Amino acid sequence: MEIREISVIGGFGKTGEPEAVARLDMRMGDVVSIVGPTGSGKTMLINDIALFADANTPSRRRVLVNGEPAPTIFQEDPSRNPIALITQHTTFLSDLPVREFLRIHARIRRTERQESAVEETLAFANELTGEPIIEQAAMTELSGGQTRALLVADAVVIGNSPIILLDEIENAGIDRLRALKLLKRYRKIFIFVTHDLRITLLSDYRVALLRGAMRAIIPRVEEERRVASRIGRIDEIMVAMRDRLRAGEQLIERELLGDLRQVLDAPSAEVMR
Amino acid sequence: MRAVICAGPPTSGKTTVLRHAAHRLAERGRRIAYLKIDVQYCDEDETFARELGVPARKVYSGDLCPDHCSVLVLGDALAWAGRESAEFLIVETAGLCLRCAPYIEGALGLIVLEATSGMNLPRKIGAMLTLADLAVVTKIDLVSQAEKEVFRANLLDAADIPVIETDALHGINLEPVVRRMEATPELVQPSRLRGSPPMSVCTICAGKKEIGWEHHFGIVRTLDSDLFYRGQ
């Protein structure tokens, strides 16, 4: 089944009031952020999506695929489910070597191109993480960042899931912005639950939640791309300073002010280069 | 009366699955009785009685193999549940021996396995899995997409039964389990065990402590013999 669009039909918030957003349509290729304070129901929303809720969860939301209720097979067999959910708690438990593990997954998932899917998964995971993955290493020996990178790469390439839900991957030790850029090469619906400023600003639109209800769908406007870009430069300054601390150096206030001034003085047109 | 016999290794989430299912059955006005069988300690019966207000009791097997104990007390338990005018008797077994299958004919045999127990678990257990009607996999939120799929493939390879993946702690995807319970036919008595599990018949269960096959009788094996147990 080719998925073109998934929709969330609004239900009710924690206090019982109907959601302000009556319908959320996410089209193939969309990058969406789900934002809101802790306890506002972000995880509940992605759980509703992952479950293809049909007015049978506490929110009473309904999730439609191409405008229709989802086929039951999506829920009955994980390999037929078009949604891959990766949370902060998701991990690998197998102590098989990386390549062998991926081969097993490729074998049950695909009839053809198994070996090249394994290669592509490894290559993609290595792009996502700064520390190259040793193929002979056991899955359980991977670092936090390598694990997260491989979880994402496996879901995207071998799993070939058209819809990927990522719950707070910014805490997971991979370069989140690089990941976002790389993920955009694949045409999928990416849904990020995030507190991260830049992931939010680089999404096509964001869904704001409050007290368990979808409050608004906010499109990302052009000006926010520049805001994201400037924040990115400030981020780079902070990363560079942290690297110097790690290298045992001392920091100089004058240099920090100089770097910040460059960010402030850059004209809008140049910020986006 | 319909009976549900639930088995599965310790900590796999049997109680959590059954509690969520019982809540949903109760919401639909179904009358339930609950029996927990364990070796020397459990308090799940109190939880069921407190949370759901249903007739609930427990039995300790003590020195006896808990699945053997289950076979012995099930007749009385069905009569008890009948007196309580329950429509469902839910029996949660101790879940200690993977080779044993406490399921009876005409009841829903439910095995609960945790996705976190390793992809090869389905290959390691015998009759407890192969004689069940339905496998419920718990803790799927904790494992990768790949392991979810491999776990299921290994399960289906070991036993050709329906599999339902759940996050039981958060009550996610338990509805199909409840539907299956409701679709269970009335139990026709007398009911019999589905298989003959090797329960409490060995010399060690009977109290012999010596090591070495020379000291035992019945089923014995040496290090070099290739006796291999496959389950039913």
Side-chain angles (χ1 to χ4, degrees), chain B residues 1-4 18 21-35 48 52-56 77-78 80-91 178 181-182 184 186:
Chain B
M1 172 85 62
R2 297 164 202 197
V4 177
L18 294 177
H23 269 285
R24 289 174 199 220
L25 287 170
E27 276 168 19
R28 292 168 205 185
R30 300 289 197 172
R31 290 190 303 279
I32 304 157
Y34 170 84
L35 172 69
F48 269 77
L52 289 140
V54 299
L78 285 162
W80 162 71
R83 286 196 302 277
E84 298 282 356
S85 49
E87 295 164 273
F88 286 85
L89 171 64
I90 298 179
V91 180
V178 178
M181 286 181 176
E182 290 199 294
T184 303
E186 293 282 321

Side-chain angles (χ1 to χ4, degrees), chain A residues 47 51 56 75-79 81 83-85 87 89-94 96 101 104-105 108-109 151 154-155 159 161, chain B residues 24 115-120 140-153 163-165 167 170 172-173 175 179:
Chain A
N47 274 332
L51 277 172
N56 54 356
Q75 276 298 93
E76 286 162 5
D77 181 350
S79 68
N81 190 325
I83 295 185
L85 169 63
T87 75
H89 310 293
T90 312
T91 187
F92 293 113
L93 300 154
S94 167
L96 285 174
F101 175 86
I104 291 175
H105 189 202
I108 63 163
R109 235 334 158 90
L151 279 168
D154 173 71
S161 306
Chain B
R24 289 174 199 220
T116 49
S117 55
M119 297 184 300
N120 284 327
I140 48 157
D141 54 319
L142 301 181
V143 305
S144 63
Q145 178 71 23
E147 278 159 309
K148 249 180 256 182
E149 293 174 26
V150 175
F151 195 86
R152 166 179 274 254
V163 179
I164 298 170
E165 281 84 3
D167 168 2
H170 300 105
I172 289 172
N173 208 30
E175 194 52 37
R179 277 204 299 271

Side-chain angles (χ1 to χ4, degrees), chain B residues 205-223:
Chain B
C205 291
K208 280 180 78 72
K209 289 182 175 171
E210 294 85 351
I211 59 164
W213 60 269
E214 304 90 334
H215 304 291
H216 296 268
F217 52 85
I219 298 171
V220 292
R221 64 168 292 177
T222 64
L223 181 60

Side-chain angles (χ1 to χ4, degrees), chain A residues 8 23-24 75 112 120 130 148 154 156 165 204 213 229 264 269:
Chain A
V8 180
R23 184 176 177 128
L24 165 67
Q75 276 298 93
E112 50 189 31
E120 191 185 336
R148 209 64 18 173
D154 173 71
V156 167
L165 303 176
D204 299 313
S229 190
L264 292 173

